[in-house]
Amino acid sequence: MTDQAYTFAYLDEQTKRMIRRALLKALAVPGYQVPFASREMPMPYGWGTGGVQVTAACLVPEDRLKVIDQGADDTTNAVSIRRFFARTAGVATTEATAEATLIQTRHRIPEQPLREGQILVYQVPIPEPLRFLEPRETETRKMHELEEYGLMHVKLYEDIARHGTIATSYAYPVKVEGRYVMDPSPIPKFDNPKLSGNAAIQLFGAGREQRIYALPPYTAVVSLDFDDHPFTASKPGHACDLCGAAHSYLDEVITDDAGGRMFVCSDTDFCAGRRREGHQGRLGGQA
Amino acid sequence: MNAQALSGGFAEAPLQSARAFRAVMEAMARPGTLHEVTGAAPPAPLSVAAGVVLLTLCDDTTPLHLAGACDTPALRDWVAFHIGAPLVPAPEAQFALGRWADLMPVNRFAIGQPDYPDRSATLIVEMPDLRAGGARLTGPGIRTEARLTLPGVAAHQANHARFPLGFDLILTGDSRLAALPRSTRVEAE
C-alpha cells in the first residue's frame, strides 16, 4: 500500500463532514462543547486523537502545518503528527510559528502573537472543566445549561483557603463571552491571557471524550478569579538560560545530580529565533 | 431523474470540499466576511455557493428542507444523486435552503435545546445581493464591527436574544458566501 492509497488527510469524507458540522456549531456557540462521533485514529488516546481529527477536517493542500508538544517542535508527539499529515495530506510543514497557517498544539500557545488566517488546534484530554468536581455528565450538562458555575468558584476558593493563593497553575478555567465556563486544555495559566482577543481561530478537539469546542477570533475570554485574589499569569522568576528572554514560559531542566538546573524557553521556535538574532542567556554560549 | 442531475458535483471531493469548508469556517468564525468558493454547478435557481455548501456539509445523515423556489424537481434530483439528504419539512430540518422570504416564518426551524444548543438548524439563505455594507454586526469573531447586507434585521436580533439557542445562517450569492452565527449582535444601519 502506498501513501497515495489514503484519501486526502486520512479521514473519509463522511467523517470529515460530520466533524466540519460540529466545528461550525462550536464556532457559533463559543465555549460550548459539541459532541461528535470521534473515530479511532492510528495513535493511542492521549496522543492527540481529537486534535488530529480537527486538523484533518480543516487542512487544505495549500496549508503549512506546525505541530508543537509543550511548545517544542522536536518531541515525539509533535514529530509523529507532523509526519502523519505530511504523508497522508502531502502538506508542507514548518517549525516557524510565523510561517504556519495551521498549528496543532499540545498544552501551549506559541509566544509569538498569532495573526488572522492562522488556525490553532488544541489537543484536549478532559474537555469538561467541571468533571473533577462532578463526575456525572448528566449533571455537568445541566450545570452548563443553567450557568451554575458556583462549584468552580468553590474549588478556587478552597485553593485560597488551603494555599493562600489560587494554586491551579494549568488548565485554568475561563469564561467565554460571559456565558460558558471552558477548559482551555492543560496550557499553563501563563498562556491564558493569549486566549482572549486572539486574531487566530482557536479549535479544541477531545478524541476520547468526543467533544469539539471553539473560540472565534477576538472572543472575550476571562480567567475566573476573585476581586481580592485576581488572576495572575505566573511563570518561573527567571530568564531563559539560552536566549535570555525574560517574558517567555520556561521549562526547568535538571542538568546534574548536584542540584544543577537551567531554565529554557518551552517554545523552541521562539528561543531559536531569539538566539539567531544574537540574544544570549546565562548559558547561551555553552549550549 | 433527468440526466442533468448527474453532473455538477465535486470532481475531486476530498480537495474541493476541504477548500470549501475552510471558506465556510472562516465565514462562520468571522461573521460578515465574504469568501469565494468554486466547484459546484447545481441546477437553477441554486447559486454556485449554495451548491458548494450542500456538497461540503450535507449527506444522508442531515435532514434537509428545500424552501419555496428552491423546491424544484431538478434540484430534488440533484440533491438525491450528489448528497442523498432526506428531504423533510422545516421543523425537522438540520439544514434548510431557500431565499429569506421562502424561509419565513423562521421560527419553524430548530433552535437546539438548552442542554444541547448545537442541535439547531443551519439556514442556507440565497441572497440576490450579497455584499458588505448595511446592517452593523458585532460580537465574537469581529474585531470592531462588520457590515453585511441582511434581510430581516429584527429576526436576527430575536435569534441572538435566545443565545445560546438559535439557528445559524450561511448566506450565499453567486460564488460568494458569508455567515451569521447566533452569537452575532445585529443593528440596523
Side-chain angles (χ1 to χ4, degrees):
Chain A
M1 193 147 110
T2 66
D3 289 355
Q4 282 70 46
Y6 293 109
T7 184
F8 176 72
Y10 187 76
L11 291 174
D12 60 281
E13 286 306 293
Q14 182 146 16
T15 298
K16 281 191 270 190
R17 280 194 294 268
M18 174 270 297
I19 296 171
R20 286 164 178 166
R21 290 192 294 264
L23 284 168
L24 293 184
K25 289 299 175 193
L27 285 164
V29 190
Y32 166 73
Q33 303 161 52
V34 181
F36 80 111
S38 176
R39 301 296 196 246
E40 284 211 40
M41 298 301 286
M43 61 191 70
Y45 288 131
W47 285 71
T49 53
V52 162
Q53 289 177 78
V54 171
T55 298
C58 291
L59 271 183
V60 294
E62 296 76 24
D63 265 325
R64 189 170 283 273
L65 177 70
K66 171 183 165 83
V67 184
I68 52 176
D69 172 5
Q70 303 270 13
D73 292 277
D74 53 1
T75 53
T76 312
N77 198 186
V79 170
S80 59
I81 291 173
R82 198 161 56 231
R83 283 194 188 151
F84 175 75
F85 282 116
R87 270 186 72 175
T88 60
V91 293
T93 59
T94 182
E95 295 191 1
T97 303
E99 289 175 14
T101 52
L102 197 154
I103 303 172
Q104 180 170 334
T105 176
R106 175 174 176 271
H107 307 358
R108 268 317 303 279
I109 300 175
E111 302 287 352
Q112 175 165 345
L114 302 178
R115 54 179 160 75
E116 290 200 8
Q118 288 183 312
I119 297 172
L120 187 60
V121 176
Y122 296 76
Q123 302 172 198
V124 183
I126 306 287
E128 177 51 72
L130 304 166
R131 182 61 69 233
F132 291 111
L133 308 172
E134 169 52 66
R136 289 167 296 181
E137 167 68 14
T138 48
E139 288 300 305
T140 53
R141 186 160 288 280
K142 185 63 83 178
M143 290 157 81
H144 283 294
E145 171 188 339
L146 300 175
E147 280 185 82
E148 180 51 71
Y149 295 129
L151 203 54
M152 186 58 89
H153 278 101
V154 170
K155 184 216 177 229
L156 297 175
Y157 169 75
E158 285 182 346
D159 262 14
I160 296 169
R162 192 171 301 157
H163 305 287
T165 58
I166 297 177
T168 305
S169 58
Y170 67 96
Y172 192 102
V174 296
K175 197 164 201 180
V176 179
E177 288 284 331
R179 180 57 181 84
Y180 284 99
V181 164
M182 185 190 95
D183 182 335
S185 86
I187 58 172
K189 69 176 175 181
F190 174 79
D191 281 342
N192 269 27
K194 298 179 212 162
L195 292 164
S196 190
N198 200 315
I201 299 173
Q202 300 175 80
L203 307 173
F204 298 77
R208 179 185 52 216
E209 304 291 323
Q210 314 202 320
R211 294 291 185 276
I212 282 171
Y213 51 105
L215 296 173
Y218 312 116
T219 298
V221 181
V222 178
S223 303
L224 298 181
D225 62 359
F226 298 99
D227 287 346
D228 52 345
H229 285 273
F231 171 82
T232 52
S234 62
K235 67 177 275 285
H238 299 266
C240 173
D241 283 334
L242 294 181
C243 76
H247 303 292
S248 65
Y249 193 72
L250 302 173
D251 289 336
E252 181 180 3
V253 182
I254 307 295
T255 52
D256 56 34
D257 60 359
R261 64 180 62 181
M262 65 188 290
F263 288 89
V264 296
C265 291
S266 110
D267 186 333
T268 52
D269 171 57
F270 176 78
C271 195
R274 278 179 55 88
R275 275 180 285 160
R276 273 196 303 274
E277 289 167 13
H279 296 280
Q280 207 171 79
R282 184 174 63 94
L283 303 170
Q286 310 159 29
Chain B
M1 179 178 281
N2 61 46
Q4 278 184 328
L6 307 183
S7 64
F10 284 149
E12 227 181 342
L15 300 182
Q16 287 176 302
S17 63
R19 293 188 183 108
F21 171 70
R22 195 63 166 265
V24 176
M25 183 171 77
E26 284 283 343
M28 192 63 86
R30 304 177 199 278
T33 57
L34 293 164
H35 301 266
E36 290 281 335
V37 288
T38 57
L46 207 59
S47 68
V48 170
V52 166
V53 172
L54 286 180
L55 289 171
T56 304
L57 297 178
C58 297
D59 54 33
D60 57 1
T61 65
T62 57
L64 173 68
H65 176 70
L66 298 178
C70 283
D71 192 8
T72 66
L75 193 54
R76 282 174 170 253
D77 286 350
W78 192 78
V79 167
F81 182 76
H82 292 282
I83 294 154
L87 299 180
V88 297
E92 300 161 32
Q94 192 174 344
F95 285 87
L97 172 67
R99 295 176 311 189
W100 183 249
D102 291 336
L103 291 168
M104 296 300 268
V106 283
N107 59 14
R108 296 177 295 163
F109 295 101
I111 57 169
Q113 300 149 230
D115 50 347
Y116 286 98
D118 56 302
R119 295 179 181 174
S120 61
T122 303
L123 312 185
I124 304 164
V125 186
E126 287 277 56
M127 301 275 291
D129 178 28
L130 179 63
R131 56 184 166 77
R136 179 171 177 268
L137 314 181
T138 54
I142 304 167
R143 190 206 287 259
T144 50
E145 65 168 43
R147 301 262 176 187
L148 193 64
T149 50
L150 273 185
V153 166
H156 303 303
Q157 289 170 335
N159 189 44
H160 172 71
R162 289 180 301 212
F163 186 89
L165 299 182
F167 49 78
D168 307 302
L169 264 55
I170 298 174
L171 306 153
T172 55
D174 295 330
S175 62
R176 294 202 295 180
L177 61 83
L180 188 73
R182 66 194 87 169
S183 58
T184 302
R185 291 178 286 276
V186 181
E187 294 162 68
E189 58 186 313

